[in-house]
Amino acid sequence: MKKNDIDLSILGTDKETAGRLADGFAVPEEGKEKIFRQSLKKYRQGADTAAAGDSVQGVERYRRPVWGRIAAAAAVVALAAAGTGTGLLMLKGRSLPPAMSELPGGEEVTEVPEETEAPATEAPTEAPTEAPTEAPTEYLRELEILSDTMRTITDEDHIQIIYAGTEDYRQNGPARLDREKYIAKFRAAADTEALNTPELKSYIYDIMLNSLHYFDTISGHHIFISAGNNIETDFGFDQVNHYSWEEEKDEDRGFSWAVYNYDGTHYDVNNQSMAYETFVSSEESIGFNLGTNDWMMLNTAGENVSSIQPDSSTLGITSNTGFAPQLPQSHLHDLSAWQILSVTEVNGMECAEIEGDWWKGHYKLYVDLHHGFLMKYDNSDGDHYELTDLRIDEPVEKKTFDPTGYSGTDIFGNPVQ
Amino acid sequence: MTDSEYRSLAEKSPLKAQRALFDEYYRYVYAIVFGRLRNNASREDIEECVSDAFSEIYRCCGNSSGHDGELRGIVGTIADRTAIKAYHRLSSRIRPDSSIDDGSADNIAAPDDVESETDRSLMRQKLLDCIAELGEPDASIILLRYYYGRSSGETAAELGLTPAAVRKRCSRAAEKLRKRLSDEGITI
């Protein structure tokens, strides 16, 4: 937000205020006609589907081909410009090339060769079991120096970049940087000038973005304190066998939640209200082998776009767990705004100590040099995060959810049996 | 519009009935959806959610089994529910979430924190009172610029003004609003 802006965000979130806004003041109407047309189309599609006796449209949304799922969500994740807003990555609707414009209804992508669907069920089960150790089969790629200007591309080009990255991952497994080479340079750096080269900074940025590539299984504990929330989380994540869980509690506020993903099903559980939501999730890991500069680009409207985050989200690992790509994009994409201060140990991991500035103020963080995990973070807004008790590539318990005593709904709010 | 009015219009022309419903409630639905999603969705996502809400509203209103009386309550409920589901879908969570990367934690109220929520509700109404005192078009300029995030050009197009007029009025109105809020002891 700019210095002279007025923060009216408090106005959101209740219907009474929305009613007053609607009745008493202008509401944006530039998209009104398009919205009306879309609403009619969706209503008619829903009516046609119901008439055909297909009552699982919602499930179909999650079962469409892997490529279709990426493209139908428009395959881009918006990141607000650093000067104005949040770094939280969300799916962003985009105008797609005409051949893909029908996808949100669950239809097939006609322009993609059919054989692209088959690898979605085959390749991912093989590559992760070969890649993760530091044996000679490790698939290495060159580190790109992060550019200080973002390039502008069309939406179609962006989708093609993601598609190429997905295909590369399917065929070759996760691409990694040569960690030994770069960590040796960190250790050998005689002073902060030697630490703060574009190369070493780009290494930090890149390994954080791609930290999912550097382990098969992980479990641990993290704490996140922000704006009155004091959340402690235990988590476990097995990328090879496609299950994960997170159990969170905020004792100060009396919250307790959990997420479980296994056997292709996702459960989002609220232990206060004894309610859960469930939907079909992916049984396949979708990885992306992307270049450093492919993660943030501008579209032709001049807005930041980024690639969809890897499948950790559908496997239930939160944006706060130390290997999600949001933070490097929001904090580290501008190499001139942060400095590496030292190499030090944090909670058993060899880390780069980093200090910098972003839209919320000043921050200090510690990044594990071997996997790109965010080990610790503090900012001038009082936010604190810390990752502890890490176990990497050790067996992770497969926790399941017992719905006894809980009321369950699907994502449309319909009760589940 | 009442439910029976909608149904009798729909008997003659479903499309006209849907259009009438859309025109009557578009602003309300948009404001509800925007309020829920403004911190974690793009403009396109918000528009998509509004269209999702209306397709569900048409479906509910088209079922003769249901409701009678004014439709505003049903419309509001469907819009809010659709927006919340979109929020969850976009955030991959159903419970309050917060991230190092955004400010959404600031808007999360504890479920039993009634007193704080009441205070916030009073604050919202007071804030809107102060904005309304600016008169039109200044009140709408302030909301379009600072709440809905529209540019001066977009705001000008919405209100039938020139961008230069929007900028000039916006800066004067913002100054007036800050002073008014300060007099009321409201900090935003």
Side-chain angles (χ1 to χ4, degrees):
Chain A
M1 186 176 288
K2 297 182 188 141
K3 196 179 85 170
N4 291 325
D5 283 358
I6 299 176
D7 181 5
L8 298 181
S9 54
I10 191 176
L11 288 176
T13 75
D14 78 283
K15 290 206 294 284
E16 183 190 354
T17 307
R20 234 188 117 179
L21 285 168
D23 295 340
F25 308 95
V27 169
E29 299 202 9
E30 81 277 356
K32 185 178 172 186
E33 290 310 307
K34 184 179 92 176
I35 292 170
F36 178 62
R37 288 194 301 274
Q38 281 176 344
S39 71
L40 287 184
K41 184 176 171 184
K42 288 171 184 176
Y43 169 73
R44 287 165 189 160
Q45 282 173 342
D48 290 343
T49 301
D54 180 356
S55 63
V56 292
Q57 187 179 10
V59 173
E60 185 181 356
R61 186 190 295 269
Y62 290 95
R63 288 203 181 277
R64 59 189 170 203
V66 167
W67 168 236
R69 178 152 64 93
I70 294 169
V76 289
V77 179
L79 185 70
T84 58
T86 75
L88 186 67
L89 294 182
M90 306 305 302
L91 292 175
K92 181 169 183 175
R94 284 262 180 248
S95 300
L96 293 172
M100 299 183 187
S101 61
E102 297 303 308
L103 283 173
E107 297 168 31
E108 298 281 327
V109 181
T110 56
E111 282 195 332
V112 176
E114 281 207 5
E115 47 271 10
T116 61
E117 295 180 21
T121 58
E122 292 174 8
T125 61
E126 290 185 11
T129 61
E130 290 180 5
T133 65
E134 293 184 22
T137 54
E138 200 172 23
Y139 176 44
L140 296 179
R141 63 174 174 81
E142 289 297 314
L143 170 68
E144 285 174 34
I145 302 301
L146 186 60
S147 172
D148 57 4
T149 54
M150 279 187 262
R151 68 184 190 273
T152 302
I153 57 167
T154 64
D155 286 340
E156 189 165 353
D157 287 342
H158 193 203
I159 289 171
Q160 290 304 321
I161 289 170
I162 295 169
Y163 176 60
T166 310
E167 280 306 296
D168 189 57
Y169 186 99
R170 282 189 187 135
Q171 291 180 27
N172 301 305
R176 296 175 167 185
L177 301 175
D178 184 347
R179 289 174 287 174
E180 275 187 32
K181 170 179 152 186
Y182 293 104
I183 291 172
K185 292 188 181 187
F186 276 98
R187 291 172 180 160
D191 50 32
T192 54
E193 189 177 342
L195 275 176
N196 284 284
T197 60
E199 182 185 56
L200 294 189
K201 283 186 166 184
S202 298
Y203 173 86
I204 295 284
Y205 179 78
D206 192 291
I207 199 170
M208 283 194 91
L209 284 172
N210 293 294
S211 51
L212 286 181
H213 290 191
Y214 295 94
F215 66 91
D216 279 348
T217 67
I218 194 169
S219 62
H221 179 85
H222 61 78
I223 181 166
F224 179 51
I225 298 170
S226 174
N229 296 306
N230 188 339
I231 303 171
E232 301 218 27
T233 304
D234 292 302
F235 66 92
F237 185 15
D238 184 323
Q239 294 194 80
V240 176
N241 298 300
H242 311 297
Y243 61 84
S244 70
W245 50 269
E246 279 196 337
E247 292 169 343
E248 298 185 7
K249 58 179 188 286
D250 183 339
E251 289 191 348
D252 294 343
R253 300 174 81 187
F255 294 163
S256 169
W257 311 281
V259 174
Y260 304 95
N261 262 281
Y262 56 92
D263 301 336
T265 306
H266 177 110
Y267 301 91
D268 231 338
V269 181
N270 185 327
N271 292 313
Q272 257 64 49
S273 57
M274 298 292 287
Y276 70 94
E277 187 175 283
T278 183
F279 53 86
V280 173
S281 66
S282 172
E283 287 188 87
E284 302 144 8
S285 291
I286 303 173
F288 306 86
N289 289 333
L290 298 175
T292 311
N293 289 292
D294 289 336
W295 283 84
M296 286 184 71
M297 292 170 278
L298 297 173
N299 65 10
T300 50
E303 298 164 311
N304 292 349
V305 295
S306 181
S307 57
I308 193 168
Q309 63 176 317
D311 210 43
S312 61
S313 64
T314 58
L315 278 172
I317 297 299
T318 70
S319 62
N320 283 332
T321 306
F323 38 85
Q326 289 94 330
L327 185 131
Q329 289 171 305
S330 62
H331 286 62
L332 304 181
H333 70 279
D334 177 0
L335 298 187
S336 70
W338 54 281
Q339 296 294 310
I340 304 171
L341 302 179
S342 72
V343 177
T344 185
E345 182 180 312
V346 175
N347 299 331
M349 311 300 284
E350 186 179 18
C351 294
E353 179 189 12
I354 289 166
E355 196 170 52
D357 294 290
W358 72 311
W359 72 277
K360 278 184 91 171
H362 194 71
Y363 64 83
K364 183 178 258 197
L365 56 89
Y366 299 81
V367 179
D368 156 40
L369 292 176
H370 298 257
H371 309 86
F373 300 148
L374 177 66
M375 295 304 299
K376 195 158 76 167
Y377 172 95
D378 290 277
N379 70 23
S380 53
D381 224 38
D383 299 334
H384 172 73
Y385 170 89
E386 192 159 347
L387 187 56
T388 60
D389 305 315
L390 274 181
R391 295 181 184 278
I392 302 166
D393 291 336
E394 294 181 25
V396 170
E397 179 187 356
K398 182 179 177 181
K399 289 197 180 189
T400 58
F401 171 59
D402 178 2
T404 306
Y406 288 77
S407 59
T409 55
D410 62 21
I411 63 154
F412 300 100
N414 302 313
V416 296
Q417 300 302 323
Chain B
M1 181 186 283
T2 66
D3 184 63
S4 51
E5 283 167 358
Y6 176 84
R7 276 188 273 129
S8 71
L9 190 57
E11 276 163 19
K12 296 174 196 153
S13 167
L15 180 60
K16 280 188 180 160
Q18 286 157 352
R19 182 77 220 202
L21 193 66
F22 182 83
D23 285 339
E24 177 152 349
Y25 293 112
Y26 166 78
R27 294 155 59 88
Y28 183 44
V29 171
Y30 191 96
I32 290 172
V33 170
F34 186 87
R36 285 286 182 196
L37 300 184
R38 69 183 298 272
N39 282 332
N40 64 352
S42 67
R43 198 181 293 188
E44 289 91 338
D45 286 326
I46 289 168
E47 288 177 356
E48 178 143 6
C49 184
V50 172
S51 67
D52 285 339
F54 270 108
S55 80
E56 181 64 15
I57 289 165
Y58 303 149
R59 194 188 65 77
C60 286
C61 292
N63 289 338
S64 56
S65 58
H67 349 278
D68 208 351
E70 274 295 328
L71 291 174
R72 188 174 173 102
I74 299 159
V75 166
T77 300
I78 292 172
D80 202 29
R81 204 175 67 179
T82 308
I84 290 170
K85 282 176 193 163
Y87 179 93
H88 294 159
R89 225 168 22 246
L90 294 170
S91 306
S92 296
R93 311 292 287 274
I94 64 166
R95 67 252 186 260
D97 191 10
S98 56
S99 164
I100 286 171
D101 304 89
D102 72 0
S104 61
D106 300 336
N107 292 328
I108 297 170
D112 296 321
D113 195 3
V114 173
E115 192 177 332
S116 297
E117 183 51 33
T118 305
D119 288 344
R120 276 191 287 272
S121 177
L122 288 171
M123 168 97 96
R124 285 193 281 268
Q125 296 311 312
K126 195 67 208 164
L127 177 56
L128 280 177
D129 289 341
C130 292
I131 292 172
E133 285 173 16
L134 297 171
E136 291 295 342
D138 291 357
S140 288
I141 288 173
I142 289 290
L143 285 163
L144 285 168
R145 293 282 290 121
Y146 296 128
Y147 180 66
Y148 293 107
R150 293 322 195 243
S151 67
S152 297
E154 288 167 332
T155 302
E158 291 281 353
L159 300 177
L161 302 169
T162 65
V166 165
R167 282 191 287 273
K168 201 187 305 185
R169 296 189 82 108
C170 186
S171 110
R172 285 204 298 253
E175 196 48 48
K176 214 187 289 185
L177 181 62
R178 281 192 201 98
K179 184 173 184 319
R180 187 76 185 89
L181 293 175
S182 172
D183 291 345
E184 290 286 332
I186 296 174
T187 310
I188 53 170

